Amino acid sequence: VQLQASGGGMVQAGGSLRLSCAASGRTFGLYVMGWFRQAPGKEREFVAAIRRKDGNTYYTDSVKGRFTISRDSAKNTVFLQMSSLKPEDTAVYYCAASSTNNADYYYSARWNYDYWGQGTLVTVSS
């Protein structure tokens, strides 16, 4: 499985961006797709995930109400719509995919994911 993330850029605080993650290869075996981010000098952290079989979504508290994860199953693409962006959202955003059918409380764990995209930089200026 290969993941290609795109859509990053620079935006002012309060603005919006939409990230895309296109999956290719043996995508039929994927259970969950997610987004993580890593700010300079910080650990990579969970942002959001979507379960492929039913579209259930999961978010970290700091982005609830501002970010929306969605999917286009026909195109094997996952999106992250980010609104009301804040400077603290500045980070490299990574998409990830899991081929393991773990319980949903593991979706925020990096180890749950087998495949990672290359990352796309989001910079939010104040």
Side-chain angles (χ1 to χ4, degrees):
V1 174
Q2 295 78 43
L3 302 176
Q4 181 69 41
S6 62
M10 183 177 292
V11 64
Q12 289 190 328
S16 300
L17 277 176
R18 188 175 85 152
L19 306 183
S20 299
C21 176
S24 60
R26 298 173 65 88
T27 60
F28 59 86
L30 299 178
Y31 288 94
V32 180
M33 294 188 71
W35 287 96
F36 286 72
R37 66 186 179 186
Q38 188 166 17
K42 295 189 176 181
E43 297 267 327
R44 191 173 299 188
E45 64 174 2
F46 172 76
V47 176
I50 186 164
R51 189 161 58 197
R52 295 194 75 192
K53 69 175 182 179
D54 55 17
N56 279 8
T57 57
Y58 306 82
Y59 299 93
T60 192
D61 286 347
S62 63
V63 308
K64 285 179 181 176
R66 301 189 298 122
F67 291 12
T68 302
I69 188 170
S70 61
R71 61 182 179 175
D72 181 336
S73 299
K75 297 182 179 180
N76 288 316
T77 301
V78 172
F79 305 99
L80 186 68
Q81 178 67 47
M82 306 185 293
S83 302
S84 302
L85 282 161
K86 304 175 182 180
E88 50 264 44
D89 294 317
T90 295
V92 176
Y93 283 71
Y94 298 89
C95 63
S98 173
S99 60
T100 306
N101 189 19
N102 287 325
D104 57 8
Y105 46 80
Y106 292 126
Y107 292 174
S108 61
R110 285 179 291 173
W111 58 260
N112 188 58
Y113 297 86
D114 312 284
Y115 306 101
W116 292 84
Q118 84 285 7
T120 185
L121 177 62
V122 172
T123 303
V124 184
S125 61
S126 57

